[in-house]
C-alpha cells in the first residue's frame, strides 16, 4: 500500500493534537478550545459531528497525555476530560452510533446536557474542608506526641531504675524501631495518593483487607487507650499539686479518676468543635512545652540550692554520673523490658500526623541522689515531679506537663476516630458502620469521638500510668510490625505497581524491623502479645471467610499471582502420570447462570480437586458489544455467589462450533488445561435447524480429534433455566425457548443476584444408587467420575452399582473378573451385575419409534438419472441419513434402543445414571443418526443421565509407580 504524498498541499501541523498536557489537573497555557475538545472526546458524540472538519488519513482522535485521564475525582468549575476509547480510534468515521466511553465521571455522568437543577447547584463551588500543611499537620503533632507524659513524668524514674547506660539503650532501641517504621511508612505513603485512615489505610491498601482490617481495629483501640494514658498523666500532676497544698477530694486513686474523666470530657468538646479548633489548641500547647524545656535546661545549668540538694539534686557531677550509670532495679517493674514497655509509647508519636492523613494537604549527665536514702520521699526513684524541682521556674514545667499530656491526649482522641471511620466506611466488619458517619465539611466522625471517649473513660478508671503504658506498647508494636512487613512484602513481590517516590528505604531493614517488633512484644508481656496476635488472626480469619467485595491492588494479590505463575511454570518440568490424572473440565455452559444444574454437577467432580472452566461462545462479528457480552464480570460474580470454584472464559466467534474449537485448543495455562469436555444434551435437535444439530455433533468429533474425553448431561426437565431477562442462550449446548434460533442476542446478560435457582445436584441424595453402565472400556473415566462423586458429602451415602455386559452361561465368572479388576483400582465399589440381556433384540414398538425419530432426516434413494448429482447433495446436507447408513449402523442402533429398555428396568429409581457413550464414526454415521442414538438411549428416564466417553487412555491404574 502506498503512503500518501505529504507535500501535496497537506500541512501536518494543522493536524496536531488540540488537547494540552496538564499536570495535577491544571492545563498548560495555550490556545485550547475546550468546547471542541468535548465535542470530540467528552460527550461521546460521533466523529462525524465535527462537520467541516472531516477526518483525513492524517488526523486521528489520539489525545496527548492528560491528568484527567488517570484521576478518579473531578475539579470544580470545569468538565472532566476523557481519553478516547479504542472504539473511537479505529471505528468507521461514518458510523453515527454513540461509542461507549472509556471512563466515567465519579458522579456517574459521562457527558451530555445536565438538568437546570444541576446547573444551579454547580454555580457555587463546594466548601473546602480544613487542610493542614506539614508543619501544623505533621511536625507539631508528632513532636507533641513524643514530648508527652512519659518524657515529663516517667523518663526520670526510668533513668533511676535502668541507669543512664540502659536508659540510652532503651531510647536508642525505641528510636531504631520508630526510625525503621518511619522509612517504611514513607515508602508506602509515597506509592500512591493516601486518603484518610492513617496507619490503617497504609496497611490495608498494601497488604489487603485481611490484615489491614484487623490492625485497623487494634490501632484505633490503642489510640483510644492512649487517650487514657495521657489523661491519667495530667491527672497525676494535678493530684500531686493538690496534695502539696493539702487539698484532697477522696484519695489519690479516686482523685485521679475524677480529674481524668472531667479532663477527657473537656477534650471531647474541643475535638468535636472541629479540626480547626483542635489544631489551634495544639499550637498553643507546643509553645508552652518549648518554654518549659528552656526553663528545664536553664535549671540544670545554674548551681543547685541547699533546698534542692536536700531533695537529691546536685547538678552535674562526674562522680554521681559514674555511680548512676549502672541499673538500680526496684519494684515489680524493675527490669529492662519493663522499663522499655513504659517508655515505648512516647516513641509512637511518629504516626500522629499519618493518622489524620485525610486532613493533610497532601538524657542527661546528672542524676538525683536523695540525702535520706530509704526514707526520703524525693529523688527520681520516688518523686514523679522531679523535673519541676530541677527547672529554673517550677510552674513552667507544670505548664509543660499540662501542655504535653493534654496535647497528646487530644491528638489520640482525634486519631482513633479518624482511623476507625475509614475502617467503618470500608465495610469489612458488621455492626460498626454506625460509627463511620461523618458530619460537616471535614467529615468529622462525631459518633467515633463518643466511642473513643467511652473507651478512654473506662481505662482512666485504672488510674495507674505504669499499668496502662505496657498495654499500649503491645498494640503499637503490632502495628509497627505490620507496617514494616507491608513495605517488605510489597518490595519482594516485584509488582510493577510498587513505585514509591521515597527511595531511602530497604526491604531487608523493613523485615528486620518487623521481626524486632514481634520479638519485643513477647519479651515485654508474652500473654499480652498472644492476645494481640489472637485478635489479629481471629479478624483475619473472619475477613478471609466473608471475602469483602473490595479490590485495592494489594501486595497479597501480587504475591498470589507470582506464586501461581511460578507453580504453573514449574509444572512444565513435570510429566503427566496416570496416578495424578484429574478430570479438568471445559464446561459449555453459555452464561453459567443459564445452566445451573450442569455447573453444580461438574462442581461436584472438580471442587477443590481440579480445573473447572465455564465457557461461553457469543456468535457475532468482533465488536465492543460482543466482547463485553462474552467477558462480562457478571458471570464470575454469579459463580462466586454460588460458591462455585470455577474459571470463566467467553469468546466471540462466527459460529458456535468454531468458538468451541478455539476453547478446546486455547483454554488453559501450561499443564493446567482442560482434558474433558462437558456439555448439555441438545433435546431440541429435531425442531432446530439441521445445521445446528450437525454442528453439535461436530463439536463432539472435534473434541475426540483433540484427545479430549467427552461427557454429555441430560436431565428430564432440561438444563436451560434462562429467563427473558437473561437473554443470551446457546441452544446448541442445550435446548432453549422455541422462539430462540440463534446463539446470541442484542442485549447484555442480566443476572439477578437473587434468587439463585436450586438444582437436584445441590441436595443430599440419601441412600440412593449411582448406576454405572461400564459397557465399553474408555480408559476408566466412566468409573472415575462416580468415585469422585461419592467423595462429596451430599453423595457419600449413595451406593454405586456397576453394570457390565456379559453372557448368561458365564455370568458369575465375568462378575468375579470385573470385581477383581475394580478392587485393584481401590474405588470401593462392591456391587457388580452382569447383564446378558443387553444383547437381546429390542421390542418392535421401540424400534418403530426410533424409525419415526429419524424419519424426517432420511434421504430418498437416489434415482439412476440423478446419480451424478448425488455426491454434491451429500456434501450440501451431510447430516442426512441414507439407507446404506442405516444398514451399516443397524446393530448399533438396535443396541441403543435395547439399552434404553434396560435402563428403564434397572435404574428407574437411581440418583444418577452414568453410562459409556457410544461413538459414531465420522463419515460412516451421519450426525442425525448419532444424535438419535444419544436421544433414544437417554430418553424418558427420571434420573439424570451422564453419557461419558474417555479418550481411550488410562485414567486409572493399580500400579504404585
Amino acid at each position: 500500500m502506498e503512503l500518501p504524498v505529504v507535500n501535496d498541499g497537506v500541512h501536518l501541523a494543522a493536524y496536531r493534537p488540540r488537547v494540552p498536557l496538564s499536570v495535577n489537573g491544571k492545563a498548560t497555557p495555550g490556545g485550547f478550545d475546550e468546547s471542541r475538545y468535548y465535542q470530540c472526546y467528552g460527550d461521546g458524540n460521533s466523529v462525524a459531528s465535527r462537520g467541516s472538519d472531516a477526518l483525513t488519513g492524517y488526523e486521528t482522535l489520539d489525545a496527548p497525555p492528560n491528568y484527567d485521564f488517570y484521576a478518579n475525582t473531578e475539579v470544580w468549575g470545569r468538565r472532566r476530560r476523557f481519553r478516547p476509547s479504542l472504539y473511537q480510534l479505529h471505528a468507521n468515521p461514518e458510523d453515527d452510533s454513540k461509542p461507549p466511553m472509556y471512563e466515567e465521571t465519579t458522579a456517574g455522568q459521562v457527558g451530555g446536557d445536565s438538568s437546570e437543577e444541576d446547573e444551579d447547584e454547580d454555580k457555587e463551588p463546594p466548601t473546602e474542608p480544613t487542610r493542614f500543611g506539614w508543619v501544623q499537620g505533621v511536625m507539631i503533632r508528632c513532636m507533641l506526641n513524643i514530648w508527652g507524659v512519659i518524657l515529663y513524668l516517667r523518663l526520670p524514674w526510668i533513668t533511676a531504675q535502668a541507669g543512664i547506660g540502659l536508659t540510652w539503650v532503651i531510647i536508642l532501641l525505641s528510636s531504631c524501631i520508630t526510625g525503621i517504621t518511619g522509612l517504611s511508612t514513607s515508602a508506602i505513603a509515597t506509592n500512591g495518593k493516601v486518603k484518610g485512615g492513617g496507619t490503617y489505610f497504609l496497611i490495608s491498601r498494601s497488604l489487603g483487607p485481611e490484615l489491614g482490617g484487623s490492625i485497623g481495629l487494634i490501632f484505633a483501640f490503642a489510640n483510644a487507650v492512649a487517650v487514657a494514658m495521657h489523661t491519667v498523666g495530667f491527672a497525676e500532676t494535678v493530684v500531686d499539686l493538690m496534695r502539696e497544698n493539702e487539698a484532697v477530694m477522696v484519695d489519690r486513686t479516686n482523685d485521679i479518676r475524677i480529674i481524668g474523666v472531667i479532663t477527657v470530657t473537656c477534650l471531647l468538646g474541643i475535638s468535636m468543635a472541629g479540626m480547626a479548633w483542635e489544631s489551634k489548641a495544639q499550637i498553643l500547647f507546643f509553645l508552652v512545652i518549648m518554654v518549659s524545656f528552656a526553663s528545664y535546661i536553664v535549671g540544670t545549668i545554674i548551681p543547685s540550692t541547699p533546698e534542692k540538694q536536700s531533695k537529691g539534686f546536685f547538678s552535674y557531677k562526674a562522680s554521681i554520673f559514674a555511680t548512676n550509670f549502672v541499673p538500680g532495679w526496684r519494684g515489680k517493674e524493675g527490669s529492662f523490658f519493663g522499663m522499655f514497655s513504659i517508655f515505648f509509647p512516647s516513641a509512637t508519636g511518629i504516626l500522629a500526623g499519618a493518622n489524620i492523613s485525610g486532613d493533610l494537604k497532601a538524657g542527661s549527665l546528672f542524676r538525683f541522689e536523695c540525702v535520706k536514702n530509704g526514707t526520703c520521699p524525693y529523688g527520681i526513684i520516688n518523686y514523679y515531679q522531679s523535673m519541676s524541682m530541677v527547672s529554673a521556674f517550677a510552674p513552667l514545667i507544670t505548664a509543660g506537663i499540662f501542655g504535653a499530656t493534654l496535647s497528646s491526649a487530644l491528638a489520640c482522641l482525634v486519631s482513633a476516630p479518624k482511623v476507625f471511620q475509614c475502617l467503618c466506611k470500608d465495610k469489612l466488619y458488621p455492626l460498626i458502620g454506625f460509627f463511620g458517619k461523618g458530619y460537616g465539611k471535614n467529615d468529622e466522625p462525631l459518633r467515633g469521638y463518643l466511642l473513643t471517649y467511652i473507651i478512654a473513660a473506662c481505662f482512666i478508671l485504672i488510674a495507674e500510668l505504669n499499668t496502662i503504658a505496657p498495654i499500649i506498647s503491645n498494640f503499637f508494636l503490632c502495628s509497627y510490625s505490620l507496617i514494616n512487613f507491608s513495605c517488605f512484602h510489597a518490595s519482594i513481590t516485584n509488582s510493577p505497581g510498587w513505585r514509591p517516590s521515597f527511595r531511602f528505604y530497604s526491604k531487608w531493614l523493613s523485615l528486620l524491623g518487623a521481626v524486632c517488633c514481634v520479638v519485643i512484644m513477647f519479651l515485654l508481656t508474652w500473654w499480652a502479645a498472644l492476645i494481640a496476635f489472637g485478635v489479629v488472626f481471629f479478624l483475619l480469619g473472619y475477613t478471609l471467610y466473608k471475602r469483602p467485595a473490595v479490590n485495592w491492588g494489594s501486595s497479597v494479590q501480587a504475591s498470589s499471582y507470582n506464586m501461581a505463575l511460578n507453580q504453573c511454570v514449574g509444572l512444565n518440568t513435570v510429566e503427566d502420570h496416570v496416578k495424578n490424572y484429574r478430570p479438568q473440565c471445559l464446561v459449555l455452559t453459555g452464561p453459567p447462570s443459564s445452566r445451573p444444574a450442569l455447573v453444580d454437577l461438574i462442581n461436584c467432580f472438580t471442587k477443590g480437586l481440579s480445573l473447572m472452566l465455564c465457557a461461553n461462545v457469543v456468535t457475532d462479528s468482533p465488536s465492543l458489544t460482543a466482547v463485553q457480552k462474552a467477558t462480562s464480570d457478571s458471570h464470575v460474580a454469579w459463580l462466586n455467589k454460588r460458591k462455585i470454584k470455577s474459571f470463566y472464559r467467553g469468546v466471540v466467534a462466527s459460529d458456535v462450533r468454531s468458538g468451541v474449537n478455539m476453547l478446546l485448543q486455547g483454554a488453559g495455562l501450561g499443564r493446567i488445561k482442560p482434558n474433558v469436555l462437558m456439555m448439555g444434551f441438545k433435546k431440541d435437535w429435531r425442531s432446530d435447524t439441521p445445521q445446528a444439530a450437525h454442528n453439535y455433533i461436530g463439536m463432539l468429533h472435534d473434541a475426540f480429534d483433540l484427545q479430549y474425553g467427552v461427557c454429555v448431561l441430560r436431565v428430564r426437565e432440561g438444563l436451560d433455566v434462562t429467563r427473558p431477562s437473561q437473554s443470551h442462550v446457546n441452544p446448541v449446548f442445550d435446548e432453549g425457548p422455541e422462539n430462540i434460533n440463534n446463539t446470541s442476542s442484542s442485549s447484555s446478560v442480566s443476572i439477578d443476584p437473587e434468587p439463585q435457582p436450586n438444582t437436584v445436584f445441590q441436595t443430599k441424595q440419601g441412600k440412593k444408587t449411582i448406576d454405572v453402565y461400564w459397557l465399553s472400556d474408555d480408559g476408566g473415566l466412566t468409573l472415575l467420575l462416580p468415585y469422585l462423586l461419592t467423595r462429596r458429602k451430599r453423595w457419600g451415602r449413595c451406593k454405586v452399582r456397576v453394570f457390565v455386559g456379559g453372557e448368561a452361561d458365564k455370568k458369575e465368572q465375568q462378575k468375579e473378573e470385573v470385581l477383581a479388576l475394580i478392587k485393584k483400582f481401590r474405588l470401593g465399589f462392591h456391587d457388580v451385575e452382569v447383564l446378558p440381556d443387553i444383547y437381546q433384540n429390542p421390542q418392535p414398538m421401540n424400534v418403530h419409534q426410533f424409525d419415526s425419530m429419524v424419519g424426517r432426516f432420511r434421504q430418498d434413494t437416489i434415482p439412476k438419472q440423478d446419480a451424478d448429482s448425488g455426491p454434491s447433495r451429500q456434501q450440501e446436507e451431510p447430516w442426512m441419513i441414507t439407507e446404506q447408513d442405516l444398514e451399516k449402523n443397524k446393530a448399533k442402533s438396535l443396541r441403543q434402543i435395547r439399552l434404553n429398555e434396560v435402563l428403564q428396568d434397572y435404574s428407574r429409581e437411581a440418583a444418577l445414571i452414568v453410562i459409556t457413550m457410544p461413538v459414531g464414526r465420522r463419515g460412516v454415521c451421519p450426525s442425525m443418526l448419532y444424535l438419535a442414538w444419544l436421544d433414544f438411549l437417554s430418553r424418558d428416564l427420571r434420573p439424570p443421565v451422564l453419557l461419558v466417553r474417555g479418550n481411550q487412555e488410562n485414567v486409572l491404574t493399580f500400579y504404585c509407580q
Side-chain angles (χ1 to χ4, degrees):
M1 183 179 68
E2 294 184 359
L3 295 174
V5 180
V6 177
N7 58 5
D8 289 346
V10 176
H11 301 282
L12 293 181
Y15 302 100
R16 65 181 181 272
R18 297 184 176 90
V19 185
L21 179 66
S22 67
V23 181
N24 296 331
K26 298 179 180 179
T28 56
F32 169 55
D33 184 0
E34 191 165 346
S35 63
R36 290 177 60 82
Y37 170 84
Y38 286 112
Q39 186 179 13
C40 295
Y41 306 132
D43 60 1
N45 287 337
S46 67
V47 177
S49 65
R50 301 183 62 183
S52 60
D53 273 347
L55 291 178
T56 69
Y58 298 99
E59 186 172 11
T60 71
L61 286 175
D62 278 325
N66 192 279
Y67 176 85
D68 278 3
F69 298 163
Y70 300 92
N72 292 328
T73 56
E74 299 182 55
V75 178
W76 184 88
R78 69 172 177 83
R79 297 175 65 183
R80 180 180 166 195
R81 302 184 178 103
F82 296 90
R83 87 165 48 87
S85 69
L86 184 61
Y87 179 91
Q88 289 171 307
L89 292 179
H90 82 338
N92 188 344
E94 298 178 358
D95 184 3
D96 61 353
S97 63
K98 273 194 173 184
M101 296 306 298
Y102 185 84
E103 294 181 276
E104 293 183 356
T105 62
T106 54
Q109 295 179 350
V110 174
D113 298 331
S114 59
S115 64
E116 294 180 1
E117 182 180 352
D118 293 338
E119 292 178 357
D120 292 336
E121 291 179 356
D122 289 340
K123 287 181 179 178
E124 294 295 331
T127 305
E128 281 293 323
T130 304
R131 301 296 188 200
F132 307 106
W134 70 273
V135 175
Q136 188 176 356
V138 179
M139 187 189 75
I140 291 179
R141 192 172 296 272
C142 290
M143 292 173 70
L144 287 175
N145 269 262
I146 294 172
W147 299 335
V149 61
I150 302 298
L151 178 65
Y152 279 97
L153 298 182
R154 288 299 182 269
L155 186 57
W157 175 74
I158 291 173
T159 307
Q161 290 270 11
I164 296 172
L166 287 183
T167 300
W168 287 352
V169 174
I170 290 173
I171 295 173
L172 181 63
L173 181 58
S174 300
S175 300
C176 287
I177 292 175
T178 54
I180 293 173
T181 306
L183 296 176
S184 300
T185 302
S186 299
I188 298 172
T190 58
N191 193 51
K193 189 175 181 180
V194 178
K195 298 181 180 180
T199 304
Y200 160 70
F201 189 90
L202 295 177
I203 296 177
S204 63
R205 270 54 178 181
S206 180
L207 284 179
E210 296 83 8
L211 283 174
S214 57
I215 207 61
L217 279 178
I218 287 179
F219 193 73
F221 179 76
N223 274 279
V225 177
V227 175
M229 182 188 73
H230 294 297
T231 305
V232 168
F234 169 81
E236 271 192 11
T237 304
V238 174
V239 169
D240 287 343
L241 291 175
M242 292 171 59
R243 292 182 65 189
E244 289 178 4
N245 294 280
E246 299 181 352
V248 178
M249 290 184 286
V250 184
D251 54 49
R252 175 179 171 81
T253 300
N254 286 305
D255 287 355
I256 291 175
R257 291 169 178 165
I258 294 170
I259 295 172
V261 172
I262 294 173
T263 303
V264 78
T265 304
C266 296
L267 294 176
L268 176 66
I270 296 175
S271 61
M272 295 187 73
M275 288 294 296
W277 284 95
E278 186 266 350
S279 182
K280 292 174 182 177
Q282 295 285 28
I283 295 176
L284 177 62
F285 291 144
F286 179 76
L287 295 175
V288 171
I289 291 175
M290 295 302 293
V291 173
S292 72
F293 280 171
S295 174
Y296 176 75
I297 293 172
V298 171
T300 63
I301 297 174
I302 62 177
S304 60
T305 64
E307 180 183 0
K308 290 184 178 181
Q309 291 182 7
S310 67
K311 294 181 179 180
F313 176 61
F314 294 89
S315 191
Y316 293 95
K317 283 189 177 181
S319 59
I320 295 178
F321 172 78
T323 303
N324 296 331
F325 191 82
V326 295
W329 307 118
R330 300 185 188 182
K332 61 180 181 180
E333 298 100 346
S335 66
F336 175 82
F337 286 105
M339 295 300 104
F340 179 87
S341 67
I342 294 173
F343 174 80
F344 186 74
S346 69
T348 60
I350 63 167
L351 296 179
N355 290 336
I356 61 163
S357 56
D359 299 290
L360 300 177
K361 294 181 181 175
S364 66
L365 296 178
F366 60 88
R367 182 178 176 185
F368 288 89
E369 185 177 84
C370 190
V371 175
K372 301 177 181 178
N373 290 327
T375 59
C376 178
Y378 298 101
I380 55 178
I381 197 68
N382 300 318
Y383 188 46
Y384 290 145
Q385 306 294 333
S386 299
M387 290 184 69
S388 299
M389 182 180 60
V390 173
S391 67
F393 186 60
L396 288 178
I397 295 297
T398 302
I401 294 174
F402 288 173
T405 54
L406 294 177
S407 65
S408 299
L410 190 57
C412 293
L413 187 57
V414 171
S415 298
K418 292 286 185 181
V419 174
F420 193 59
Q421 182 186 35
C422 184
L423 179 62
C424 293
K425 288 184 176 180
D426 286 338
K427 299 179 181 179
L428 301 182
Y429 305 113
L431 307 178
I432 64 173
F434 173 81
F435 299 101
K437 183 175 176 59
Y439 297 87
K441 63 181 181 180
N442 265 48
D443 198 31
E444 296 290 347
L446 301 184
R447 296 174 181 177
Y449 285 138
L450 291 174
L451 178 63
T452 304
Y453 167 79
I454 294 172
I455 296 174
C458 293
F459 278 87
I460 286 173
L461 299 179
I462 297 176
E464 179 54 55
L465 190 62
N466 292 0
T467 302
I468 300 174
I471 298 174
I472 300 172
S473 295
N474 261 286
F475 287 134
F476 276 115
L477 282 168
C478 187
S479 302
Y480 283 14
S481 176
L482 280 176
I483 290 176
N484 286 306
F485 182 74
S486 297
C487 182
F488 167 75
H489 195 266
S491 300
I492 63 170
T493 56
N494 292 320
S495 172
W498 175 247
R499 304 184 303 274
S501 56
F502 181 81
R503 299 292 183 181
F504 304 102
Y505 74 96
S506 168
K507 59 183 178 183
W508 302 115
L509 194 61
S510 297
L511 178 61
L512 177 63
V515 173
C516 288
C517 289
V518 173
V519 171
I520 292 174
M521 283 179 66
F522 283 94
L523 291 176
L524 294 183
T525 313
W526 64 267
W527 56 267
L530 288 177
I531 292 175
F533 279 103
V535 172
V536 169
F537 288 127
F538 173 78
L539 296 175
L540 171 65
Y542 175 84
T543 311
L544 289 172
Y545 173 74
K546 297 299 290 185
R547 294 187 179 276
V550 295
N551 184 6
W552 297 325
S554 66
S555 61
V556 172
Q557 292 173 319
S559 178
S560 299
Y561 175 86
N562 288 349
M563 289 189 291
L565 181 62
N566 290 334
Q567 291 295 327
C568 287
V569 173
L571 285 175
N572 289 337
T573 62
V574 180
E575 294 184 2
D576 291 331
H577 194 284
V578 63
K579 286 175 61 179
N580 293 325
Y581 174 86
R582 299 165 185 263
Q584 303 188 100
C585 302
L586 175 65
V587 192
L588 301 185
T589 60
S593 60
S594 66
R595 292 171 184 84
L598 183 60
V599 172
D600 291 336
L601 176 63
I602 307 310
N603 181 58
C604 294
F605 295 139
T606 62
K607 184 178 181 181
L609 174 72
S610 60
L611 173 69
M612 177 179 177
L613 179 61
C614 292
N616 181 20
V617 178
V618 174
T619 54
D620 202 346
S621 58
S623 65
L624 185 61
T625 303
V627 171
Q628 288 177 340
K629 185 189 298 182
T631 60
S632 173
D633 290 337
S634 60
H635 304 305
V636 178
W638 185 88
L639 290 168
N640 292 338
K641 188 174 182 61
R642 204 171 180 84
K643 297 181 179 179
I644 301 292
K645 294 184 177 180
S646 171
F647 295 97
Y648 168 82
R649 179 70 184 274
V651 297
V652 179
S654 58
D655 60 84
V656 176
R657 182 176 178 181
S658 61
V660 172
N661 202 290
M662 282 193 247
L663 292 164
L664 288 170
Q665 298 190 64
L669 182 65
R671 293 194 179 275
I672 303 180
K673 60 182 179 181
N675 52 27
V676 176
L677 176 67
M678 299 276 186
M679 55 199 303
F681 178 69
K682 184 174 177 59
K683 283 204 304 187
D684 67 337
W685 63 278
R686 285 183 287 174
S687 59
D688 203 350
T689 62
Q691 184 64 51
H694 179 69
N695 287 340
Y696 178 87
I697 295 300
M699 289 188 288
L700 297 182
H701 287 304
D702 292 343
F704 290 138
D705 289 342
L706 295 170
Q707 296 299 298
Y708 271 72
V710 174
C711 298
V712 176
L713 176 65
R714 181 174 187 175
V715 294
R716 183 174 59 178
E717 60 274 13
L719 294 173
D720 200 333
V721 297
T722 306
R723 298 186 295 275
S725 60
Q726 295 172 310
S727 56
H728 178 71
V729 177
N730 273 333
V732 174
F733 297 165
D734 186 20
E735 77 286 353
E738 293 181 359
N739 60 341
I740 297 180
N741 292 320
N742 61 344
T743 56
S744 65
S745 65
S746 59
S747 60
S748 61
V749 179
S750 173
I751 297 177
D752 299 328
E754 293 293 342
Q756 287 261 345
N758 293 323
T759 67
V760 65
F761 301 114
Q762 288 182 306
T763 59
K764 289 188 176 181
Q765 300 299 321
K767 293 183 178 180
K768 297 182 180 179
T769 63
I770 300 175
D771 290 352
V772 181
Y773 288 81
W774 193 22
L775 306 179
S776 303
D777 195 329
D778 60 350
L781 188 63
T782 306
L783 288 180
L784 180 61
L785 293 182
Y787 167 73
L788 296 178
L789 271 184
T790 58
R791 296 175 61 179
R792 302 300 173 197
K793 188 175 181 180
R794 66 187 64 159
W795 296 86
R797 300 181 67 188
C798 288
K799 177 183 178 182
V800 178
R801 300 190 301 177
V802 180
F803 295 88
V804 295
E807 302 176 15
D809 55 344
K810 299 181 180 179
K811 185 175 180 179
E812 289 301 321
Q813 178 184 349
Q814 291 175 342
K815 178 178 179 179
E816 292 300 323
E817 290 176 354
V818 174
L819 268 174
L821 180 60
I822 293 177
K823 185 177 181 181
K824 286 179 178 289
F825 289 143
R826 307 173 308 281
L827 297 174
F829 303 162
H830 304 292
D831 194 343
V832 174
E833 186 164 348
V834 178
L835 300 175
D837 51 351
I838 65 172
Y839 300 109
Q840 297 176 3
N841 288 329
Q843 298 178 12
M845 178 183 64
N846 291 329
V847 175
H848 178 71
Q849 290 179 356
F850 180 82
D851 290 338
S852 300
M853 180 182 290
V854 299
R856 63 171 286 217
F857 304 107
R858 293 179 64 172
Q859 184 174 320
D860 296 335
T861 304
I862 303 173
K864 293 182 180 180
Q865 61 270 24
D866 296 336
D868 296 337
S869 62
S872 62
R873 184 177 178 185
Q874 189 77 16
Q875 292 174 0
E876 292 175 1
E877 298 179 336
W879 51 82
M880 297 301 288
I881 307 171
T882 65
E883 292 297 330
Q884 292 87 346
D885 296 329
L886 286 175
E887 189 63 30
K888 290 178 182 177
N889 296 281
K890 183 176 181 179
K892 274 197 172 184
S893 298
L894 293 176
R895 181 169 185 181
Q896 312 314 317
I897 300 171
R898 176 55 187 160
L899 282 176
N900 179 257
E901 296 173 356
V902 172
L903 295 179
Q904 298 281 3
D905 292 339
Y906 288 90
S907 300
R908 187 176 294 274
E909 301 301 324
L912 177 68
I913 298 174
V914 181
I915 185 170
T916 306
M917 185 171 70
V919 177
R921 187 180 297 276
R922 192 203 307 271
V924 177
C925 179
S927 54
M928 288 306 183
L929 180 59
Y930 190 14
L931 257 175
W933 289 353
L934 301 182
D935 191 350
F936 210 95
L937 172 62
S938 57
R939 71 167 190 155
D940 298 334
L941 293 169
R942 187 200 62 80
V945 180
L946 184 66
L947 304 171
V948 179
R949 169 62 68 164
N951 66 354
Q952 303 302 117
E953 294 183 4
N954 287 347
V955 301
L956 296 173
T957 182
F958 40 76
Y959 295 105
C960 62
Q961 67 177 17

